[in-house]
Amino acid sequence: MTTVATAPALWRTEKTVVLSGHSLHSQKPSPVSEGFVPPIMAAQIRFRPDALAASMARTLTLRTAPDALLAQWARSQLAQIEYLVEDGFRFELSPFLTSLADAERSGFAGRVGAGMTDLLMNALGYVWRDNATCLSSNLDPHADFVYAGGAVSGHGVVLAEAHGSFAQSVAEGRIAGEARRKYLRQVKPHIATSCVHGKVVHGYSVAFGSNPANQDTFLHVAETRISRSKIKSSLPSQQPGPIASGRVSARLALAAHRSNFLLMGASQVVAWIDWLRGVGGRPADDTVTTFFVVEIVGRKFLVAAEYFFPYIRPWRLLDEVDLPQLPWRWDEFESWRLRIRSDLANVYAMDEFAAGSFLRALSGMISGEAGQAPLALDLPVVEPVGLSKELEPGDRDEDSRYPFVQFRDGLALLGKLPRSRKPETLFWSPQRGFL
């Protein structure tokens, strides 16, 4: 008799993960930056599958790997967690996880751990991110990520180390031990040091684990302890003036938005960011990137036309260098979609105002004279949707009904691309900005 495996119920429900432990670790001097007050640690975090998938993709695309590989790898994250995590309000692993080889299971757990760390850092109010390889290579091992914005604005940056484990040996004590061990080994040695994005003034080690046998799930955060000194130092600071609140280091903004526009498929924007960061040659000056403006529940987003190239003109095979010269037309895309009666799902986009602000600043840096690149940029921060921390359980946020998730830097994952006969179209030139 042949046994037919049934397809699992895809994860669709918003989940709540309660903080199982929070440990504080002393630091001298404390605080590293006078006046820095870390956010109150979340008692729990809530998120939908698309939010976790987007966070996993956001952390994946901070790596140094070919852009095409990163983009395809990142887009597969939602399918993985939908099938390997059970539906329901609690975080429980699917029985299908046991079908994976040990190395694949460990890799998946690590990616989920990184995604959970990114969700937590956003819930705590941090905005901008980069891979922590920006720390000195002489200080290995080091944490996974650097974050800025929010409470650390004007002070520097914070570190975040991520750990994920899906094994039958997972227990509360083991996850707590991993968080503390990794804090002491990979975070604490870097506190009060400097990197290209600023001084490291605080750090976190986030360990997330789930036991596939009994479905127990744990989230432990080890964090730098801040001493509350009542006496202010009378000595003047020898550090350069901090970036004012509401501003972000240009280097860090380029790193974060490179990941965002890579996920959107805007390859020309990514190429210009790489050139400004000293990676790769200067792209052609006459390229123009097309964006469609789509609206969902009163919010406007930019979607890169390059993302839809295989759908708009599937009958043409063009060399990649020819793509920016194509006359992108939304009506052709809509005609194609109507013929096959299909809705495109899970499309990365950017908040219109956040994307526009960055792209205008990017054009200014590209066309500016050598040596005059700004040290900091004024960029907006948007209210997140689809992810939150919650100190009092029970309230269900209206945002959980929205067909998209959105992060503080403006990146969004749209559950479905809305139909539109005549959407607004914007054209971005690297030299002249929006045309």
Side-chain angles (χ1 to χ4, degrees):
M1 182 176 180
T2 303
T3 302
V4 179
T6 58
L10 296 184
W11 169 20
R12 291 287 184 265
T13 310
E14 181 187 63
K15 292 188 183 296
T16 298
V17 171
V18 177
L19 189 72
S20 57
H22 181 212
S23 54
L24 297 174
H25 298 260
S26 60
Q27 180 68 37
K28 293 182 180 180
S30 182
V32 174
S33 178
E34 191 66 38
F36 169 70
V37 178
I40 297 174
M41 181 51 60
Q44 58 189 29
I45 54 175
R46 299 202 330 255
F47 54 92
R48 303 202 308 258
D50 45 358
L52 178 55
S55 274
M56 292 164 66
R58 280 159 51 90
T59 53
L60 275 173
T61 47
L62 293 174
R63 298 183 181 182
T64 54
D67 298 351
L69 171 64
L70 289 175
Q72 294 303 319
W73 197 10
R75 289 170 187 170
S76 70
Q77 300 310 301
L78 183 58
Q80 292 183 31
I81 63 171
E82 282 185 329
Y83 278 94
L84 296 176
V85 178
E86 289 279 84
D87 196 17
F89 294 105
R90 295 180 66 245
F91 190 96
E92 296 181 352
L93 296 168
S94 165
F96 287 83
L97 186 74
T98 60
S99 301
L100 299 181
D102 290 346
E104 293 173 344
R105 188 187 310 178
S106 296
F108 176 66
R111 293 192 296 275
V112 172
M116 290 293 294
T117 299
D118 187 62
L119 287 175
L120 178 66
M121 298 301 282
N122 270 267
L124 295 178
Y126 297 110
V127 183
W128 311 103
R129 69 199 187 282
D130 192 9
N131 194 294
T133 53
C134 62
L135 295 169
S136 171
S137 59
N138 295 327
L139 294 178
D140 286 336
H142 55 68
D144 291 312
F145 309 110
V146 169
Y147 283 86
V152 80
S153 294
H155 296 280
V157 297
V158 301
L159 291 182
E161 165 65 14
H163 171 77
S165 179
F166 298 154
Q168 293 187 12
S169 58
V170 165
E172 184 173 6
R174 178 184 171 185
I175 294 302
E178 286 289 348
R180 297 188 186 101
R181 181 180 67 82
K182 287 180 174 288
Y183 178 89
L184 295 174
R185 186 169 184 261
Q186 295 169 241
V187 177
K188 183 177 175 62
H190 303 279
I191 305 297
T193 66
S194 294
C195 68
V196 295
H197 300 315
K199 192 169 187 178
V200 179
V201 302
H202 200 67
Y204 302 86
S205 174
V206 182
F208 176 71
S210 186
N211 188 317
N214 58 26
Q215 299 294 4
D216 287 342
T217 297
F218 308 99
L219 175 66
H220 189 102
V221 180
E223 179 182 0
T224 309
R225 182 191 300 275
I226 298 292
S227 300
R228 308 297 179 186
S229 175
K230 296 182 179 180
I231 303 175
K232 292 185 178 180
S233 173
S234 60
L235 298 176
S237 172
Q238 300 300 314
Q239 299 293 327
I243 296 173
S245 178
R247 307 192 78 198
V248 56
S249 154
R251 284 176 176 265
L252 191 50
L254 289 174
H257 279 310
R258 181 190 188 276
S259 166
N260 293 340
F261 283 92
L262 187 153
L263 288 171
M264 292 171 64
S267 59
Q268 289 301 306
V269 176
V270 173
W272 279 107
I273 293 175
D274 284 344
W275 176 73
L276 287 171
R277 298 174 76 195
V279 179
R282 182 183 176 95
D285 289 329
D286 59 350
T287 57
V288 173
T289 299
T290 304
F291 294 96
F292 299 129
V293 182
V294 299
E295 184 171 345
I296 301 179
V297 292
R299 301 196 185 198
K300 291 186 176 182
F301 301 93
L302 295 192
V303 176
E306 290 175 76
Y307 180 90
F308 303 112
F309 173 73
Y311 308 112
I312 298 175
R313 300 184 187 276
W315 58 88
R316 293 186 63 182
L317 295 176
L318 297 177
D319 190 87
E320 192 171 320
V321 297
D322 293 328
L323 298 186
Q325 307 300 331
L326 284 174
W328 301 107
R329 293 183 58 184
W330 179 268
D331 56 345
E332 290 185 9
F333 170 67
E334 285 292 83
S335 175
W336 170 83
R337 182 158 65 166
L338 288 172
R339 283 200 306 274
I340 66 170
R341 300 179 180 178
S342 173
D343 286 309
L344 280 178
N346 306 318
V347 176
Y348 283 98
M350 278 282 291
D351 173 85
E352 181 187 31
F353 182 61
S357 298
F358 173 73
L359 289 172
R360 282 186 284 270
L362 185 63
S363 290
M365 287 187 280
I366 292 170
S367 60
E369 296 181 9
Q372 293 187 351
L375 295 178
L377 301 177
D378 286 303
L379 295 177
V381 175
V382 301
E383 192 64 24
V385 173
L387 57 146
S388 65
K389 68 175 182 178
E390 185 179 52
L391 299 180
E392 296 182 6
D395 283 339
R396 310 310 294 177
D397 199 318
E398 290 185 0
D399 288 347
S400 64
R401 303 196 307 265
Y402 286 4
F404 63 89
V405 294
Q406 180 169 281
F407 296 84
R408 295 180 185 274
D409 60 5
L411 179 70
L413 178 57
L414 311 183
K416 184 169 66 176
L417 190 69
R419 295 186 183 277
S420 176
R421 290 185 178 274
K422 294 182 179 180
E424 182 183 358
T425 304
L426 300 178
F427 302 95
W428 176 78
S429 163
Q431 295 286 347
R432 295 178 287 167
F434 287 103
L435 304 178

